[in-house]
Amino acid sequence: MSSSESSEPGKSKTIKVDYLARVEGEGSLYLKIRDGAVEDAKLKIFEPPRFFEAFLRGRDFREAPDITARICGICPVAYLMSACHAMESVCGVRVDGQLRALRRLLYCGEWIESHGLHVFMLHAPDFYGFDDAVAMAKAHPELVQRGLRLKKLGNAIMTALGGREVHPINIKLGGFYRAPRRRELDALRGELEWAREFTAVALARLKELEFPDFERDYEFMGLRHPSEYPLNEGRLVSSAGVDEPISRYDCVLREVHVAHSTSLQSRRVGGGPVHMGPMARYALNHDKLPPEVQQLARDAGLGARCQNPFQSVLVRMVEIAYAVHEAARIIAEYAEPDAPAIAVEPRAGTGYGATEAPRGVCYQRYTIDDAGVITDCKIVAPTSVNQAVIEEDLRVFAGARAELPDEQLRWQCEQAIRNYDPCISCSCHFLKLDVERV
Amino acid sequence: MHEMSVLNNLMNKVTELNALHGGKRVISMKLRLGALSHFTPQHFREHFDFASRGTVAEGARLELTQMTDETDPDAQGVVLESLEFET
C-alpha cells in the first residue's frame, strides 16, 4: 500500500491508498465459560453456501470431475477423483493397470503439496512461536525453503499428470486425456530422491517440538483397502467397528444442520462426531505403510496410533514420506498405457465415490439418467465432517485453559483448530473469538 | 461467494485508515473493480450498502471503475485507490 495526502483544512482529507482487498476467513469461535469451565463451544462458519450440488443437476455426467475440482484449489484431485469413481461405478467401468497407478500418482502429488503447505507454512510456525511462515523464514530460512521445495515437487507431479498445478485439466472419466511419456515422469525422480531424504530430516526436527499434553479417544473414520494405504479406494471403516462399502456411506454418517454454521456437520448414525484425516488414516492403516515408512514413524516417536491432534504435524509428515515413496515406486514401474483412457458410456443409476483427500474422506453420490444427465448429487467435504470433533476438542482444550487472558486463549484455540488443516480460509490466522464469561 | 468477505476486509481497512488519519467519517471512496473480480458496480454497491452499515463508511459516495483487462495483475481483486475523510 502506498499513500499520499491532500487536504482542505478543517473540511476533508483525501489519501491515496492502493490497497488490494483480500478474502478473509469467515469463521469465529464462541466460548461460554462459567465458573472457570467451558459450558459451550461453537465453531461458527458463515461462508455463504456455494450450491455446487444444485448446479451440477442438469449437467452432463462427464462434466462432474472438472466442475467439482473447482470446489478447492488445494485439493482439487480429491473432488475430481471422487466424481470419477462415482460416475464409473454407475456406468459399470473399472479403471485398472497403469491408468489406476497414474491416478494414485496424481493423488500423491496432491498429498505432498497440500500436506507440505500445512506442515511448513501453517502448522510449524505455531510450534516455533511465529505468527506465520514469513516471520519464521527469518529464523529458520532453510526449513521454509525446503518446505517450499517439497511443495513444489507436489505441484510438479500435479502438472505432469494434470496439465497444471491447480485445478488439473487432463483428467476425465475412464482415465486421462493424455498419458504422460515415460521420460516426463523420469524427470521427477531426482526431486523424489531428495524428498525421501528430506522427509527423514524433517521428521527428526519436528519430533523435537513441544506438543501440548492433550489426548482424546476419538472415533477415527477413513477408508481401508485390502492391500494398500488408501488414496482412491477402500471400504469405509472406523475405530469403533464400522466396516461398510462406500455405497452405505449415507447409512453410516448423517449430515445435520446446526444454527451456527452454514456448513453441514456430520454424526455417525447411532454414535457421535468422527475424526477424519491423517490421524484417522494412520490409525486405521498403519499396517499398510511400507516398512521403511513405519520405521520413520517409530523414529519420530509415533506408535501405531496417535491421539494427540497437535502431533498431527508428525503424522502429516509421515504421510508425505509415504506419498514420496509411493510416487517413486509408481514411476519406477511405469509403462506407457496403450490408450490414455477407457470409454465410459452413460447408464441410468446411482453411483458412489469416496477418496482420501488430505483432510479426510471426500464423498460424492450421483444419480444420472440414460442420457448421462445428472439428476441428483451429494458432496461431503471432510472438513465439514470434522467440524463437530473440532468443537469437542475446543471444549476440552479451552476448559483446561479457561483462566488464560482472551488473547492468549484465542491463539491457543486457533492452533487447536489448525490441527485439522481445515479447508476454510481459517487455516490461516483468522479467529474472531467471542468469550462469554458468566 | 467471497463478496462479503472482500467487503469485510475492505471495511476493516477503511476503519483503520480513518482512525489513523483522524477522520470523523468517510466522505468518498475510489475503487477499481478487477475484470475477474465477479463484481459489477451495481453488485458492489449492494454489498457495500450492507457491509458499511454502522461503520465510518456508511453513506460514503462510491466512485467505481470497472476494469476490463483480464491480464492485469489485480484483475481478480478490488483495489481501494483513495479515501476522502471528513476531518
Side-chain angles (χ1 to χ4, degrees):
Chain A
M1 183 182 83
S2 64
S3 75
S4 61
E5 298 183 11
S6 64
S7 63
E8 296 175 44
K11 288 186 179 175
S12 70
K13 175 159 72 173
T14 300
I15 61 165
K16 189 171 181 302
V17 183
D18 277 342
Y19 173 76
L20 181 65
R22 299 181 190 288
V23 173
E24 288 191 332
E26 292 288 358
S28 73
L29 172 64
Y30 167 78
L31 288 177
K32 186 173 183 180
I33 298 174
R34 185 187 295 277
D35 301 328
V38 174
E39 192 173 273
D40 195 11
K42 289 191 177 87
L43 180 62
K44 299 181 177 181
I45 308 293
F46 30 90
E47 291 270 1
R50 299 170 69 189
F51 303 114
F52 269 84
E53 291 153 322
F55 65 68
L56 274 159
R57 291 185 192 124
R59 307 297 295 237
D60 186 88
F61 76 127
R62 284 168 286 242
E63 293 182 285
D66 285 334
I67 292 176
T68 54
R70 290 286 172 164
I71 291 174
C72 181
I74 303 295
C75 59
V77 171
Y79 288 94
L80 63 83
M81 272 297 135
S82 293
C84 284
H85 283 284
M87 293 307 183
E88 288 158 7
S89 82
V90 187
C91 303
V93 168
R94 181 162 178 80
V95 175
D96 273 319
Q98 288 297 328
L99 294 178
R100 181 178 187 275
L102 287 176
R103 285 180 163 183
R104 275 182 78 77
L105 179 59
L106 177 69
Y107 230 130
C108 287
E110 176 157 291
W111 275 23
I112 294 169
E113 62 87 11
S114 175
H115 278 356
L117 174 73
H118 191 257
V119 168
F120 296 100
M121 303 297 125
L122 301 173
H123 218 181
D126 283 345
F127 297 105
Y128 284 107
F130 294 99
D131 281 344
D132 52 41
V134 176
M136 191 174 89
K138 288 177 187 164
H140 302 283
E142 84 299 338
L143 194 61
V144 173
Q145 282 166 3
R146 287 189 286 179
L148 285 170
R149 183 173 169 183
L150 188 66
K151 184 178 181 335
K152 196 172 172 184
L153 168 62
N155 286 352
I157 296 173
M158 297 270 281
T159 304
L161 291 161
R164 59 185 185 188
E165 297 96 331
V166 179
H167 298 139
I169 46 166
N170 187 37
I171 288 82
K172 61 186 285 194
L173 300 185
F176 298 81
Y177 288 99
R178 173 187 173 276
R181 307 304 301 264
R182 163 99 231 163
R183 62 182 156 71
E184 292 173 280
L185 298 188
D186 280 343
L188 298 165
R189 293 172 94 160
E191 276 303 273
L192 282 166
E193 181 54 29
W194 167 82
R196 193 184 62 76
E197 290 170 16
F198 173 58
T199 50
V201 172
L203 266 170
R205 263 186 91 164
L206 294 172
K207 78 171 185 180
E208 301 300 331
L209 298 173
E210 278 188 36
F211 300 101
D213 186 15
F214 180 77
E215 287 201 348
R216 288 192 54 225
D217 188 15
Y218 300 106
E219 178 175 352
F220 288 127
M221 184 172 281
L223 299 183
R224 182 167 167 84
H225 187 273
S227 59
E228 60 197 14
Y229 200 76
L231 289 165
N232 281 61
E233 294 167 72
R235 287 172 66 85
L236 187 67
V237 303
S238 90
S239 54
V242 171
D243 186 357
E244 299 277 3
I246 289 308
S247 57
R248 294 263 306 155
Y249 181 101
D250 292 320
C251 305
V252 174
L253 284 170
R254 182 169 40 88
E255 287 193 297
V256 290
H257 179 243
V258 294
H260 59 272
S261 174
T262 51
S263 174
L264 295 173
Q265 295 194 357
S266 288
R267 305 275 189 283
R268 183 167 64 75
V269 174
V274 298
H275 181 137
M276 289 179 167
M279 283 171 53
R281 275 193 297 266
Y282 179 80
L284 297 166
N285 297 283
H286 177 267
D287 60 322
K288 301 298 181 197
L289 288 169
E292 175 187 326
V293 179
Q294 285 184 2
Q295 185 60 48
L296 279 177
R298 269 193 299 277
D299 292 345
L302 292 172
R305 181 184 174 100
C306 170
Q307 298 190 150
N308 181 342
F310 291 89
Q311 290 183 320
S312 64
V313 67
L314 298 176
V315 180
R316 265 185 207 92
M317 202 63 225
V318 169
E319 285 202 332
I320 292 174
Y322 171 70
V324 168
H325 181 279
E326 179 69 350
R329 183 194 67 78
I330 291 168
I331 290 174
E333 296 173 3
Y334 181 58
E336 292 176 22
D338 294 334
I342 54 175
V344 182
E345 298 301 326
R347 191 167 85 179
T350 298
Y352 309 85
T355 63
E356 281 285 2
R359 292 149 194 82
V361 177
C362 173
Y363 168 73
Q364 295 178 35
R365 184 197 70 215
Y366 294 93
T367 301
I368 64 172
D369 65 17
D370 274 326
V373 174
I374 298 169
T375 58
D376 187 38
C377 163
K378 178 177 178 176
I379 301 171
V380 185
T383 289
S384 70
V385 176
N386 278 336
Q387 274 182 101
V389 86
I390 293 174
E391 284 184 349
E392 284 192 346
D393 271 15
L394 288 167
R395 192 167 300 150
V396 179
F397 183 74
R401 293 156 179 82
E403 302 303 328
L404 290 174
D406 284 0
E407 187 55 27
Q408 221 171 321
L409 188 60
R410 181 187 67 80
W411 176 244
Q412 295 201 13
C413 287
E414 270 191 17
Q415 293 183 32
I417 295 169
R418 208 148 32 241
N419 289 333
Y420 290 83
D421 189 9
C423 57
I424 38 182
S425 320
C426 330
S427 56
C428 300
H429 299 166
F430 80 103
L431 203 60
K432 295 174 187 118
L433 177 66
D434 185 11
V435 180
E436 184 182 355
R437 295 181 189 270
V438 292
Chain B
M1 63 162 289
H2 290 307
E3 291 93 338
M4 286 310 296
S5 183
V6 169
L7 262 298
N8 286 343
N9 180 263
L10 198 59
M11 289 305 106
N12 287 339
K13 176 53 73 175
V14 168
T15 304
E16 178 191 323
L17 290 171
N18 184 68
L20 186 68
H21 292 272
K24 289 179 182 163
R25 70 178 185 92
V26 178
I27 297 171
S28 69
M29 298 166 61
K30 193 172 174 185
L31 300 112
R32 289 199 307 271
L33 307 179
L36 303 175
S37 70
H38 305 296
F39 275 118
T40 62
Q42 183 190 350
H43 186 195
F44 185 88
R45 284 179 199 283
E46 288 167 4
H47 279 283
F48 178 80
D49 286 347
F50 183 78
S52 64
R53 272 178 215 164
T55 74
V56 292
E58 185 170 356
R61 192 175 66 251
L62 298 180
E63 190 179 327
L64 305 174
T65 305
Q66 176 86 68
M67 308 302 287
T68 55
D69 182 3
E70 294 182 2
T71 62
D72 185 313
D74 295 332
Q76 296 190 49
V78 172
V79 176
L80 174 63
E81 288 187 3
S82 65
L83 277 178
E84 183 188 7
F85 310 109
E86 182 180 316
T87 54

